[in-house]
Short mmCIF file of all heavy atoms in Angstrom, two decimals:
data_model
loop_
_atom_site.label_atom_id
_atom_site.label_comp_id
_atom_site.label_asym_id
_atom_site.label_seq_id
_atom_site.Cartn_x
_atom_site.Cartn_y
_atom_site.Cartn_z
N SER A 296 -0.01 -16.38 -29.47
CA SER A 296 -1.39 -15.82 -29.20
C SER A 296 -2.07 -15.30 -30.43
O SER A 296 -1.46 -14.73 -31.28
CB SER A 296 -1.33 -14.77 -28.20
OG SER A 296 -2.47 -13.88 -28.06
N ARG A 297 -3.34 -15.55 -30.59
CA ARG A 297 -4.12 -15.07 -31.66
C ARG A 297 -4.89 -13.78 -31.35
O ARG A 297 -5.06 -12.96 -32.19
CB ARG A 297 -5.06 -16.22 -32.13
CG ARG A 297 -4.38 -17.40 -32.81
CD ARG A 297 -5.38 -18.47 -33.21
NE ARG A 297 -6.04 -19.07 -32.04
CZ ARG A 297 -5.56 -20.13 -31.41
NH1 ARG A 297 -4.42 -20.68 -31.83
NH2 ARG A 297 -6.22 -20.73 -30.40
N GLN A 298 -5.25 -13.73 -30.13
CA GLN A 298 -6.12 -12.53 -29.63
C GLN A 298 -5.25 -11.26 -29.61
O GLN A 298 -5.89 -10.14 -29.65
CB GLN A 298 -6.66 -12.77 -28.23
CG GLN A 298 -7.63 -13.95 -28.29
CD GLN A 298 -8.88 -13.69 -29.05
OE1 GLN A 298 -9.32 -12.49 -29.11
NE2 GLN A 298 -9.50 -14.72 -29.57
N LYS A 299 -3.93 -11.34 -29.54
CA LYS A 299 -3.12 -10.14 -29.61
C LYS A 299 -3.13 -9.41 -30.90
O LYS A 299 -2.58 -8.29 -31.04
CB LYS A 299 -1.68 -10.48 -29.12
CG LYS A 299 -0.89 -11.33 -30.11
CD LYS A 299 0.43 -11.66 -29.61
CE LYS A 299 1.23 -12.55 -30.59
NZ LYS A 299 2.44 -12.99 -29.96
N TRP A 300 -3.57 -10.06 -31.94
CA TRP A 300 -3.50 -9.45 -33.24
C TRP A 300 -4.73 -8.57 -33.41
O TRP A 300 -5.66 -8.72 -34.17
CB TRP A 300 -3.53 -10.54 -34.41
CG TRP A 300 -2.19 -11.28 -34.47
CD1 TRP A 300 -1.84 -12.41 -33.86
CD2 TRP A 300 -1.11 -10.76 -35.22
NE1 TRP A 300 -0.62 -12.77 -34.16
CE2 TRP A 300 -0.07 -11.87 -34.97
CE3 TRP A 300 -0.81 -9.83 -36.07
CZ2 TRP A 300 1.11 -11.72 -35.59
CZ3 TRP A 300 0.47 -9.69 -36.66
CH2 TRP A 300 1.42 -10.64 -36.45
N SER A 301 -4.62 -7.44 -32.70
CA SER A 301 -5.60 -6.39 -32.69
C SER A 301 -7.00 -6.79 -32.27
O SER A 301 -7.95 -5.93 -32.35
CB SER A 301 -5.68 -5.72 -34.07
OG SER A 301 -4.42 -5.28 -34.56
N TRP A 302 -7.20 -7.90 -31.75
CA TRP A 302 -8.46 -8.34 -31.13
C TRP A 302 -8.67 -7.70 -29.74
O TRP A 302 -9.74 -7.29 -29.37
CB TRP A 302 -8.65 -9.80 -31.08
CG TRP A 302 -8.76 -10.46 -32.47
CD1 TRP A 302 -7.85 -11.08 -33.10
CD2 TRP A 302 -10.01 -10.42 -33.22
NE1 TRP A 302 -8.35 -11.56 -34.36
CE2 TRP A 302 -9.65 -11.12 -34.45
CE3 TRP A 302 -11.26 -9.94 -33.06
CZ2 TRP A 302 -10.56 -11.36 -35.46
CZ3 TRP A 302 -12.16 -10.07 -34.10
CH2 TRP A 302 -11.80 -10.85 -35.26
N ILE A 303 -7.54 -7.67 -28.96
CA ILE A 303 -7.54 -7.12 -27.60
C ILE A 303 -6.87 -5.74 -27.62
O ILE A 303 -5.66 -5.69 -27.80
CB ILE A 303 -6.86 -8.05 -26.58
CG1 ILE A 303 -7.61 -9.38 -26.62
CG2 ILE A 303 -6.83 -7.33 -25.26
CD1 ILE A 303 -6.93 -10.38 -25.56
N PRO A 304 -7.53 -4.61 -27.52
CA PRO A 304 -6.91 -3.38 -27.35
C PRO A 304 -5.94 -3.33 -26.15
O PRO A 304 -6.30 -3.79 -25.11
CB PRO A 304 -8.15 -2.41 -27.28
CG PRO A 304 -9.26 -3.08 -27.78
CD PRO A 304 -9.02 -4.51 -27.43
N GLU A 305 -4.84 -2.72 -26.32
CA GLU A 305 -3.78 -2.64 -25.19
C GLU A 305 -3.48 -3.89 -24.66
O GLU A 305 -3.40 -4.15 -23.43
CB GLU A 305 -4.41 -1.63 -24.04
CG GLU A 305 -4.74 -0.28 -24.53
CD GLU A 305 -3.47 0.51 -24.89
OE1 GLU A 305 -2.46 0.24 -24.34
OE2 GLU A 305 -3.53 1.29 -25.80
N ALA A 306 -3.28 -4.84 -25.53
CA ALA A 306 -2.88 -6.19 -25.18
C ALA A 306 -1.55 -6.25 -24.28
O ALA A 306 -1.43 -7.14 -23.51
CB ALA A 306 -2.78 -7.18 -26.38
N HIS A 307 -0.71 -5.35 -24.64
CA HIS A 307 0.61 -5.27 -23.92
C HIS A 307 0.52 -4.47 -22.66
O HIS A 307 1.53 -4.41 -21.92
CB HIS A 307 1.69 -4.65 -24.84
CG HIS A 307 1.34 -3.35 -25.28
ND1 HIS A 307 0.42 -3.09 -26.35
CD2 HIS A 307 1.85 -2.17 -24.84
CE1 HIS A 307 0.41 -1.80 -26.51
NE2 HIS A 307 1.17 -1.26 -25.69
N ASN A 308 -0.60 -3.93 -22.34
CA ASN A 308 -0.76 -3.03 -21.17
C ASN A 308 -1.84 -3.66 -20.16
O ASN A 308 -1.42 -4.53 -19.44
CB ASN A 308 -1.10 -1.65 -21.74
CG ASN A 308 -0.86 -0.52 -20.65
OD1 ASN A 308 -0.75 -0.96 -19.41
ND2 ASN A 308 -0.85 0.64 -21.04
N ASP A 309 -2.96 -3.05 -20.17
CA ASP A 309 -3.93 -3.50 -19.18
C ASP A 309 -4.34 -4.97 -19.23
O ASP A 309 -4.57 -5.56 -18.21
CB ASP A 309 -5.24 -2.55 -19.29
CG ASP A 309 -4.85 -1.15 -18.93
OD1 ASP A 309 -3.79 -0.86 -18.43
OD2 ASP A 309 -5.74 -0.31 -19.28
N PHE A 310 -4.45 -5.49 -20.45
CA PHE A 310 -4.95 -6.93 -20.57
C PHE A 310 -3.73 -7.91 -20.91
O PHE A 310 -3.94 -8.88 -21.54
CB PHE A 310 -5.96 -6.95 -21.69
CG PHE A 310 -7.26 -6.76 -21.17
CD1 PHE A 310 -7.72 -5.48 -20.69
CD2 PHE A 310 -8.17 -7.73 -21.18
CE1 PHE A 310 -8.98 -5.33 -20.12
CE2 PHE A 310 -9.46 -7.70 -20.62
CZ PHE A 310 -9.91 -6.45 -20.13
N ILE A 311 -2.57 -7.55 -20.45
CA ILE A 311 -1.46 -8.45 -20.64
C ILE A 311 -1.60 -9.89 -20.00
O ILE A 311 -1.05 -10.86 -20.39
CB ILE A 311 -0.13 -7.75 -20.22
CG1 ILE A 311 1.10 -8.44 -20.91
CG2 ILE A 311 0.01 -7.77 -18.74
CD1 ILE A 311 2.37 -7.76 -20.67
N PHE A 312 -2.45 -9.83 -18.85
CA PHE A 312 -2.61 -11.15 -18.20
C PHE A 312 -3.36 -12.15 -19.05
O PHE A 312 -3.23 -13.34 -18.97
CB PHE A 312 -3.40 -10.88 -16.88
CG PHE A 312 -3.59 -12.03 -16.00
CD1 PHE A 312 -2.49 -12.61 -15.29
CD2 PHE A 312 -4.75 -12.70 -15.87
CE1 PHE A 312 -2.59 -13.60 -14.41
CE2 PHE A 312 -4.92 -13.83 -15.15
CZ PHE A 312 -3.80 -14.32 -14.34
N ALA A 313 -4.26 -11.65 -19.99
CA ALA A 313 -4.97 -12.44 -20.87
C ALA A 313 -4.08 -13.11 -21.89
O ALA A 313 -4.22 -14.32 -22.21
CB ALA A 313 -6.10 -11.64 -21.59
N ILE A 314 -3.05 -12.31 -22.33
CA ILE A 314 -1.99 -12.88 -23.25
C ILE A 314 -1.19 -14.05 -22.53
O ILE A 314 -0.90 -15.02 -23.06
CB ILE A 314 -1.12 -11.76 -23.73
CG1 ILE A 314 -1.89 -10.74 -24.48
CG2 ILE A 314 -0.10 -12.38 -24.74
CD1 ILE A 314 -2.77 -11.20 -25.57
N ILE A 315 -0.86 -13.75 -21.23
CA ILE A 315 -0.15 -14.82 -20.41
C ILE A 315 -1.07 -16.02 -20.41
O ILE A 315 -0.55 -17.21 -20.54
CB ILE A 315 0.23 -14.26 -19.01
CG1 ILE A 315 1.19 -13.11 -19.18
CG2 ILE A 315 0.79 -15.32 -18.13
CD1 ILE A 315 1.49 -12.42 -17.83
N GLY A 316 -2.19 -15.82 -20.11
CA GLY A 316 -3.19 -17.04 -19.96
C GLY A 316 -3.26 -17.73 -21.24
O GLY A 316 -3.39 -19.03 -21.28
N GLU A 317 -3.30 -17.03 -22.45
CA GLU A 317 -3.43 -17.73 -23.78
C GLU A 317 -2.12 -18.46 -24.13
O GLU A 317 -2.20 -19.56 -24.57
CB GLU A 317 -3.83 -16.69 -24.75
CG GLU A 317 -4.13 -17.31 -26.14
CD GLU A 317 -4.52 -16.35 -27.13
OE1 GLU A 317 -4.38 -15.02 -26.94
OE2 GLU A 317 -4.92 -16.73 -28.31
N GLU A 318 -1.04 -17.87 -23.90
CA GLU A 318 0.19 -18.44 -24.33
C GLU A 318 0.86 -19.42 -23.34
O GLU A 318 1.55 -20.34 -23.79
CB GLU A 318 1.30 -17.26 -24.67
CG GLU A 318 0.84 -16.34 -25.76
CD GLU A 318 1.91 -15.40 -26.16
OE1 GLU A 318 2.87 -15.28 -25.39
OE2 GLU A 318 1.83 -14.90 -27.30
N PHE A 319 0.57 -19.28 -22.05
CA PHE A 319 1.15 -20.19 -21.08
C PHE A 319 0.11 -20.96 -20.32
O PHE A 319 0.39 -21.81 -19.50
CB PHE A 319 1.97 -19.38 -20.04
CG PHE A 319 3.09 -18.68 -20.61
CD1 PHE A 319 3.05 -17.29 -20.98
CD2 PHE A 319 4.28 -19.35 -20.88
CE1 PHE A 319 4.20 -16.64 -21.46
CE2 PHE A 319 5.46 -18.71 -21.38
CZ PHE A 319 5.35 -17.31 -21.72
N GLY A 320 -1.16 -20.67 -20.61
CA GLY A 320 -2.26 -21.54 -20.08
C GLY A 320 -2.53 -21.30 -18.68
O GLY A 320 -1.98 -20.28 -18.04
N LEU A 321 -3.32 -22.11 -18.06
CA LEU A 321 -3.73 -22.07 -16.67
C LEU A 321 -2.49 -22.11 -15.79
O LEU A 321 -2.34 -21.43 -14.71
CB LEU A 321 -4.67 -23.09 -16.27
CG LEU A 321 -5.14 -23.12 -14.79
CD1 LEU A 321 -5.87 -21.82 -14.41
CD2 LEU A 321 -6.04 -24.31 -14.50
N LEU A 322 -1.48 -22.98 -16.19
CA LEU A 322 -0.26 -23.10 -15.44
C LEU A 322 0.41 -21.84 -15.29
O LEU A 322 0.97 -21.41 -14.24
CB LEU A 322 0.65 -24.21 -16.02
CG LEU A 322 1.88 -24.54 -15.30
CD1 LEU A 322 1.65 -25.09 -13.83
CD2 LEU A 322 2.73 -25.57 -16.05
N GLY A 323 0.58 -21.10 -16.40
CA GLY A 323 1.27 -19.72 -16.40
C GLY A 323 0.59 -18.76 -15.54
O GLY A 323 1.31 -18.04 -14.81
N THR A 324 -0.78 -18.72 -15.48
CA THR A 324 -1.44 -17.75 -14.69
C THR A 324 -1.25 -18.08 -13.18
O THR A 324 -1.14 -17.21 -12.35
CB THR A 324 -2.91 -17.79 -15.07
OG1 THR A 324 -3.51 -19.02 -14.85
CG2 THR A 324 -3.14 -17.32 -16.46
N ILE A 325 -1.25 -19.42 -12.90
CA ILE A 325 -0.99 -19.81 -11.45
C ILE A 325 0.41 -19.50 -11.10
O ILE A 325 0.59 -18.97 -9.87
CB ILE A 325 -1.19 -21.34 -11.39
CG1 ILE A 325 -2.68 -21.71 -11.59
CG2 ILE A 325 -0.66 -21.81 -10.03
CD1 ILE A 325 -2.91 -23.21 -11.54
#
Side-chain angles (χ1 to χ4, degrees):
S296 167
R297 294 179 290 272
Q298 296 296 325
K299 68 184 179 183
W300 288 93
S301 301
W302 289 102
I303 301 179
E305 300 294 327
H307 59 284
N308 197 340
D309 295 347
F310 269 69
I311 198 168
F312 187 75
I314 305 302
I315 293 175
E317 185 179 9
E318 296 189 345
F319 297 99
L321 179 63
L322 182 61
T324 59
I325 291 176

